[in-house]
Amino acid sequence: DGRALGVVEESRCPSVPVGAYVRHQLGWRERAVLDAVDTDGADRVDPRLAPLPTWLGLLGQTGFTAYVGLTRIAGLRPGDTVLVSAAAGAVGTAAGQFARLLGAARVVGTAGGPDKCALLVREFGYDAAADYRAEPVREALARLAPEGIDVYFDNVGGDQLAAALHSLRTGGRVALCGMMSQFGGERRSTDINQLIQAVLKRLTLRGFIVRDHDDLRPEFERRVAGWLAEGRITTRETVVDGLENAAGALLSLLDGGNVGKMLVRLDDND
């Protein structure tokens, strides 16, 4: 499974001619047959607007998720202090940079390990990063954002969400994107009474599924493509030649805890 990008070789749909580039969700494969109507999640992409690989990364679903969460869900305002959990992931690295470009005064992230934290500050627009494995996030936030935060982009839930609730200022906003703390063998429940902070501070917590916000996609593509063209965004990509090499490379990336997007190239010409 996974999103793919390809060039149309044959078409019976006038709006998608031969030679057009499309993005779909039918998995990693050499060829796919798509319906003319958008039942398979297929959409055209414009290689003139941005390089093709970016349509699977920053201009793809991960970048769009970061943009929707910050703009529509959390309502980021110029001057805000922003916290992003799982900041070294594909969504998190986009969210940190977008927050900065949207006018955030300070951007803080959480990640696992000192190398990832250093990378966030060095390459991805973060002012500071907390290693959640080395110290409790609530203590780290007291040090890294002593005046509190205005926006929390949550990919983790659990203890990190609880820490953010205590750090948020009155009227703060939380975009609930994912809860990775609920997966895997080390799941721990967090006291739901922490939610009293939402009452006391009049916080807004809003969950979202990015596909509900496709009306925002044209704005997102124009804006982010402009930032890319201006050289204001950093990307990291791992390119693998051949579908037969994809699984091994993906496992290697996951084992190493690397960030960014992995792209499988099936055509030597692109």
Side-chain angles (χ1 to χ4, degrees):
D1 192 18
R3 284 182 173 263
L5 192 69
V7 62
V8 176
E9 295 181 341
E10 181 181 346
S11 176
R12 298 175 184 175
C13 178
S15 63
V16 188
V18 171
Y21 285 92
V22 296
R23 182 175 51 193
H24 66 76
Q25 297 186 89
L26 293 183
W28 296 356
R29 56 204 300 169
E30 294 180 352
R31 284 180 172 82
V33 179
L34 310 176
D35 290 338
V37 293
D38 192 13
T39 55
D40 294 315
D43 60 288
R44 288 188 64 178
V45 301
D46 187 353
R48 297 168 301 178
L49 191 62
L52 286 171
T54 61
W55 292 94
L56 292 175
L58 274 174
L59 282 173
Q61 207 73 345
T62 50
F64 189 44
T65 299
Y67 188 84
V68 168
L70 291 171
T71 59
R72 176 166 288 176
I73 306 303
L76 190 151
R77 306 163 188 160
D80 279 347
T81 295
V82 177
L83 170 66
V84 180
S85 58
V91 173
T93 52
Q97 295 183 87
F98 292 172
R100 173 72 65 209
L101 291 165
L102 290 166
R106 185 167 177 78
V107 185
V108 178
T110 67
D115 292 342
K116 287 184 180 180
C117 289
L119 187 67
L120 291 176
V121 176
R122 187 172 67 248
E123 292 190 24
F124 292 110
Y126 285 84
D127 294 289
D131 180 356
Y132 68 86
R133 295 174 181 167
E135 65 177 322
V137 172
R138 187 172 175 183
E139 294 179 12
L141 290 177
R143 174 171 51 84
L144 300 177
E147 297 181 3
I149 60 176
D150 303 290
V151 168
Y152 175 43
F153 192 108
D154 185 26
N155 291 304
V156 175
D159 291 342
Q160 295 197 41
L161 174 57
L165 291 173
H166 286 277
S167 184
L168 281 156
R169 293 195 272 248
T170 299
R173 292 90 66 202
V174 179
L176 298 170
C177 178
M179 296 204 171
M180 291 192 299
S181 64
Q182 303 306 303
F183 297 94
E186 299 181 358
R187 286 182 293 175
R188 293 186 300 170
S189 61
T190 300
D191 185 0
I192 197 171
N193 289 326
Q194 307 280 353
L195 279 172
I196 190 61
Q197 296 297 317
V199 177
L200 298 175
K201 298 178 181 179
R202 281 77 82 190
L203 305 177
T204 299
L205 287 79
R206 183 180 174 189
F208 73 103
I209 300 295
V210 69
R211 63 175 174 266
D212 295 336
H213 303 275
D214 268 353
D215 62 295
L216 201 59
R217 196 176 290 272
E219 172 194 314
F220 155 75
E221 291 178 352
R222 287 194 304 270
R223 204 169 195 178
V224 176
W227 289 336
L228 279 165
E230 294 166 2
R232 302 175 72 185
I233 296 181
T234 297
T235 62
R236 273 198 170 205
E237 296 167 352
T238 298
V239 179
V240 177
D241 282 312
L243 192 60
E244 68 277 6
N245 298 314
L250 181 58
L251 289 173
S252 177
L253 280 173
L254 293 173
D255 289 342
N258 288 300
V259 301
K261 298 289 289 183
M262 188 184 87
L263 307 173
V264 180
R265 182 167 50 205
L266 301 182
D267 185 344
D268 290 338
N269 297 320
D270 282 308

